[in-house]
Amino acid sequence: MKYYLTTPIYYVNAAPHIGHAYTTIAADTIKRLKRIQGYDVILTTGTDEHGQKIERAAAAAGKSPSEFTDLISGEFRRQWEILGLGVDRFQRTTSPNHAAMVQELFRRCLDAGYVYKGTYTGQYCVFDELYVNDAKPGDSCPECGRPTETITEENFYFKLSAFQDKLIELYEKHPEFIQPETRRNEVLGFIQRGLKDISISRTTIKWGIPVPGEDKHVFYVWFDALMAYMSAVEHDKQWPADLHLIGKEIVRFHAIYWPAFLIAAGWPLPKRIFAHGWLLFENDKMSKSRGNIVRATPIQRVLGTDALRYFLLREVVFGQDGSFSYDALIARYNADLANGLGNLAARTLAMINQYRGGVIPASDGDPQIAQAAKEITGFALDCFEKLDFSKALEAIFTLIAAVDKFIVEHAPWKLAKGGDAGVKELDDTLYTSAEALRLVTALLAPVMPDAAAKIWAQLGFSSTIDDIRAGDLHWGHLKRGQKLGPVEGVFPRAVAKESIDKMRELEAEEVTRQRALLGQPAEPAAPDAPASAAPALAPIREDVSQISIDDFAKVDLRVGIVKDAARVKGADKLLHLHVDIGEPEPRSIVAGIALAYKPEDLVGRKVVIVANLAPRKLRGLESQGMIVAASREGDVPVLAGFHEDVPIGAKLK
RNA sequence: GCCGGCGUAGCUCAGUGGUUAGAGCGACGGUCUCAUAAUCCGUAGGUCGUAGGUUCGACUCCUACCGCCGGCACCA
């Protein structure tokens, strides 16, 4: 039986961080779980390497696109090796086998009548490679705020509109197709509002896979990238995937576009898509602009890969957003791994060494613990199957607690001194502890392979944890007479401050190394740097065309004072302002700053506006100009202002 | 603005009509000594977001409101 699962292919515009590791660690864990169940498991990952953003990032690093993507793709591949993740195939979208598959998808869709050529005239954001519907010339991009360009281009379109009913039918027939349920509901809601055809080619980009017979065109990123799931296993015919593991931000592409493409091409559909949540840093979104992105390797180097794996899967409910913090990591590590699992192993193995010469005694074990073990095992396996890692782990650790209690109740150290009377009870107690330890170790092996391997060897097994199968997960499989291996602590207790300092130090080093790799200047700001520290800004566009002073003079920037401000009904982000710039009547201006500023805080504040911008209606209100604000990727805008007092109506030049 | 979710002990969360609302972590007190200053035992009193309502009875159902989150709309 085969089981094929995937992580997303990661976009190479940034170096790997803990978010990438999260997905890939989860995938590796699932792979190990499925192996225990006896499946031949294939896990694929890879890198998504096309598009203008990459062209640009490469240029910024002073490299050609292919040099640049080789470098970053290699960085991802190495990351998974360092973390010991069992990736079977690493698929790059720049490899020839992939291009052929994408072109094949295109031909099949074309032959089936789901692709047509059309013309698009309108606004386009070069940075995001995005067509901005309903935008006018001069408008800026809804995603990034950069100016859009007016383009007319011939494009290939995919008839997504033809798939509305087919997709709804798919979700109804296979409720597990998209999980968790909230994502499924969102997708359904989105589809029920109607699907539009999508453009699947671009003539504005060179760095991509060419459309067959249409040299000017390259494929749009999603038409290209999704196919990596098929090209990765092209040679051993593993398609369809049993599971696509993704982040919640790419649900729509996987749950809507992807099955539609496949149906159009007449290829089988993946069985299940599971979208996990985001990893936050101390409850804030991790983002470049905040400078609070955490990498996996510093954590690995201080506490070990297992600590990272355990933390991510135990602390965060899979499917929901979760928070990473160094304090929580250390707390989990010490409470669960050092005091719980590590200590149980240490005390159990030490007692067998001391009291029984390192040999597993003969016993059936305590019936109550055996029963508890049976129930907990069943429950945990059930949770694992549902990808509810946190609940599974919680359950497994209740068995550890039960055994700790059991040991105290029987006090083997007293039995050992009690002569012949205590021999049987001592044997039973030691066997029970060791067998429970064996079972717990086997259950935890998919999550903590390194520690499990160590304990496994200490229990005296010559087989490896990769040999563990479902049949081993039953009480009583530990054999009497088995000789323990050399014993050594698996999770030494961590001193919080020391460990955190060390992780932060390594984190800073890793940031510097990654930035050098990307051709960016060293950035001293630590992840916990105060807000005043300069955040890492996106590189300034290399290709912003230069303008003359006359061009600049066309822009009439004026200082004004906000007379009143009010929220715009029906819009989260909009404020309706009246700004006095020294004209007879204040200007009516609608600005997308409601998330950053309260209306009452703006009244009386001096702002800069573009006074000669063509008026435009927004939500029925006329906007006679635009407020100047600085914005960072993924962040709220910050209004421009002055340190000195400036009269109303003053012109900026 | 529309749709959905959430708001329970310091922290993370469980609990969906019925006796005194639970767990883990943290904190405090005690205990054993096999063990990683670990284990084990005990304690900690949280208006179950706010205000109404239904009911013999609500954390659990309904309504409104507040706050947070997500999706859509929106972002000049």
Side-chain angles (χ1 to χ4, degrees):
Chain A
M1 275 187 306
K2 70 101 182 172
Y3 192 89
Y4 171 33
L5 82 158
T6 69
T7 78
I9 52 171
Y10 302 112
Y11 202 48
V12 295
N13 68 337
H17 54 69
I18 195 170
H20 301 113
Y22 180 46
T23 314
T24 315
I25 284 171
D28 178 80
T29 301
I30 295 167
K31 176 180 170 175
R32 293 170 187 275
L33 285 163
K34 286 290 158 187
R35 183 163 55 204
I36 286 177
Q37 291 174 10
Y39 288 90
D40 295 319
V41 194
I42 300 280
L43 166 60
T44 68
T45 185
T47 42
D48 178 12
E49 306 182 23
H50 287 131
Q52 192 126 19
K53 273 191 216 180
I54 302 303
E55 265 182 332
R56 205 166 283 134
K63 293 190 165 53
S64 72
S66 75
E67 283 169 348
F68 180 80
T69 55
D70 281 354
L71 195 68
I72 308 299
S73 181
E75 186 70 7
F76 274 93
R77 184 193 290 262
R78 205 164 319 118
Q79 180 84 184
W80 308 144
E81 281 168 14
I82 291 169
L83 293 176
L85 305 180
V87 171
D88 298 294
R89 305 288 150 67
F90 190 97
Q91 180 65 44
R92 302 180 57 179
T93 57
T94 48
S95 72
N97 77 310
H98 177 70
M101 285 296 288
V102 173
Q103 290 168 340
E104 172 71 11
L105 171 69
F106 175 74
R107 273 189 290 267
R108 282 173 164 255
C109 291
L110 192 66
D111 291 348
Y114 290 114
V115 167
Y116 62 93
K117 215 175 212 182
T119 306
Y120 175 87
T121 300
Q123 296 311 110
Y124 180 72
C125 174
V126 178
F127 186 83
D128 289 318
E129 297 164 24
L130 196 71
Y131 294 96
V132 186
N133 297 322
D134 312 323
K136 286 184 178 173
D139 288 352
S140 62
C141 170
E143 292 297 320
C144 67
R146 292 172 176 81
T148 56
E149 293 164 23
T150 306
I151 57 158
T152 295
E153 70 172 20
E154 201 173 54
N155 270 335
F156 287 98
Y157 284 85
F158 178 80
K159 276 190 198 167
L160 191 62
S161 58
F163 290 89
Q164 186 160 341
D165 295 341
K166 289 188 183 82
L167 289 171
I168 290 174
E169 191 190 323
L170 167 68
Y171 308 141
E172 269 161 16
K173 217 167 151 188
H174 300 284
E176 76 290 351
F177 182 75
I178 171 72
Q179 292 175 304
E181 201 167 325
T182 63
R183 301 297 152 210
R184 181 170 177 271
N185 293 339
E186 281 170 17
V187 169
L188 269 168
F190 183 84
I191 292 188
Q192 273 153 358
R193 264 177 243 115
L195 293 175
K196 287 183 193 155
D197 292 350
I198 52 169
S199 155
I200 54 165
S201 70
R202 295 290 128 100
T203 54
T204 47
I205 307 169
K206 290 192 185 66
W207 184 238
I209 296 173
V211 174
E214 301 278 347
D215 290 350
K216 289 186 317 223
H217 293 260
V218 301
F219 286 110
Y220 166 60
V221 52
W222 284 104
F223 199 82
D224 168 349
L226 288 162
M227 277 306 289
Y229 298 136
M230 283 184 75
S231 43
V233 293
E234 186 191 350
H235 299 297
D236 43 11
K237 300 188 168 58
Q238 293 288 327
W239 189 259
D242 294 277
L243 173 65
H244 288 314
L245 218 53
I246 63 171
K248 67 179 184 181
E249 71 282 3
I250 50 176
V251 164
R252 198 187 305 168
F253 306 104
H254 284 78
I256 298 173
Y257 290 16
W258 185 222
F261 292 161
L262 291 168
I263 294 169
W267 280 324
L269 302 181
K271 301 282 195 292
R272 181 182 183 193
I273 296 164
F274 193 101
H276 68 242
W278 285 343
L279 223 44
L280 310 175
F281 181 78
E282 290 172 355
N283 292 319
D284 281 329
K285 195 169 160 181
M286 286 194 205
S287 74
K288 257 191 235 178
S289 64
R290 286 175 210 266
N292 63 352
I293 297 175
V294 175
R295 280 92 191 146
T297 47
I299 297 165
Q300 175 191 31
R301 287 171 61 186
V302 176
L303 296 178
T305 311
D306 286 353
L308 174 64
R309 296 172 66 110
Y310 177 75
F311 177 83
L312 293 176
L313 296 175
R314 171 64 183 87
E315 185 84 2
V316 180
V317 177
F318 205 60
Q320 294 178 18
D321 288 356
S323 193
F324 173 87
S325 77
Y326 289 109
D327 288 339
L329 172 68
I330 297 286
R332 277 282 170 216
Y333 178 87
N334 278 333
D336 294 355
L337 300 185
N339 298 352
L341 178 59
N343 186 55
L344 177 66
R347 68 194 309 205
T348 298
L349 299 170
M351 285 191 287
I352 292 173
N353 273 329
Q354 276 175 249
Y355 306 140
R356 287 295 177 264
V359 175
I360 303 290
S363 166
D364 293 331
D366 180 79
Q368 281 178 22
I369 295 291
Q371 180 58 27
K374 185 182 171 190
E375 283 165 15
I376 287 165
T377 300
F379 180 77
L381 291 176
D382 224 44
C383 292
F384 276 134
E385 190 60 28
K386 290 186 280 196
L387 305 186
D388 193 348
F389 300 113
S390 53
K391 207 175 259 180
L393 291 168
E394 188 185 358
I396 294 167
F397 275 75
T398 64
L399 181 56
I400 292 176
V403 176
D404 272 331
K405 184 171 181 165
F406 169 83
I407 291 172
V408 168
E409 281 167 357
H410 290 268
W413 45 93
K414 285 181 185 159
L415 296 173
K417 291 174 193 157
D420 292 348
V423 168
K424 168 83 168 68
E425 190 181 348
L426 182 56
D427 282 351
D428 287 343
T429 305
L430 295 177
Y431 182 88
T432 300
S433 306
E435 173 58 354
L437 177 65
R438 181 194 70 85
L439 205 50
V440 161
T441 301
L443 283 169
L444 291 174
V447 176
M448 293 186 281
D450 291 352
K454 284 184 194 165
I455 298 173
W456 205 245
Q458 292 178 23
L459 278 166
F461 288 101
S462 53
S463 61
T464 74
I465 56 159
D466 291 345
D467 300 322
I468 295 171
R469 291 294 175 271
D472 298 318
L473 303 178
H474 296 288
W475 187 263
H477 278 225
L478 186 60
K479 291 196 183 67
R480 59 181 287 186
Q482 178 157 303
K483 183 90 178 72
L484 300 187
V487 174
E488 177 194 19
V490 276
F491 291 113
R493 202 177 159 77
V495 179
K497 188 175 181 313
E498 276 173 26
S499 304
I500 293 173
D501 287 350
K502 187 68 186 164
M503 282 188 280
R504 287 190 191 276
E505 187 189 319
L506 292 170
E507 175 67 27
E509 281 174 22
E510 181 68 355
V511 170
T512 304
R513 190 189 68 80
Q514 289 188 345
R515 290 185 67 86
L517 196 74
L518 288 157
Q520 295 166 351
E523 219 298 306
D528 57 332
S532 61
L537 289 173
I540 296 191
R541 291 176 60 178
E542 297 291 307
D543 62 339
V544 171
S545 52
Q546 297 192 329
I547 60 167
S548 71
I549 185 79
D550 296 334
D551 288 332
F552 175 69
K554 289 179 191 166
V555 183
D556 188 17
L557 295 170
R558 297 281 179 163
V559 176
I561 186 161
V562 179
K563 305 301 283 185
D564 60 65
R567 294 190 184 282
V568 175
K569 208 179 163 192
D572 284 348
K573 299 188 183 173
L574 296 182
L575 290 184
H576 184 202
L577 314 173
H578 284 93
V579 180
D580 181 359
I581 57 167
E583 296 171 328
E585 288 293 318
R587 294 277 187 118
S588 163
I589 292 182
V590 180
I593 55 173
L595 297 180
Y597 296 95
K598 286 189 217 158
E600 57 269 28
D601 294 343
L602 286 174
V603 176
R605 178 162 174 165
K606 287 195 175 157
V607 295
V608 177
I609 72 163
V610 181
N612 61 343
L613 197 67
R616 168 140 198 245
K617 278 208 166 180
L618 281 165
R619 287 258 148 188
L621 298 165
E622 176 147 302
S623 186
Q624 305 156 331
M626 147 186 177
I627 291 218
V628 177
S631 55
R632 300 180 300 183
E633 195 182 333
D635 223 333
V636 293
V638 177
L639 289 176
F642 300 94
H643 285 113
E644 291 82 15
D645 195 35
V646 186
I648 290 164
K651 184 169 162 66
L652 280 78
K653 53 185 182 181

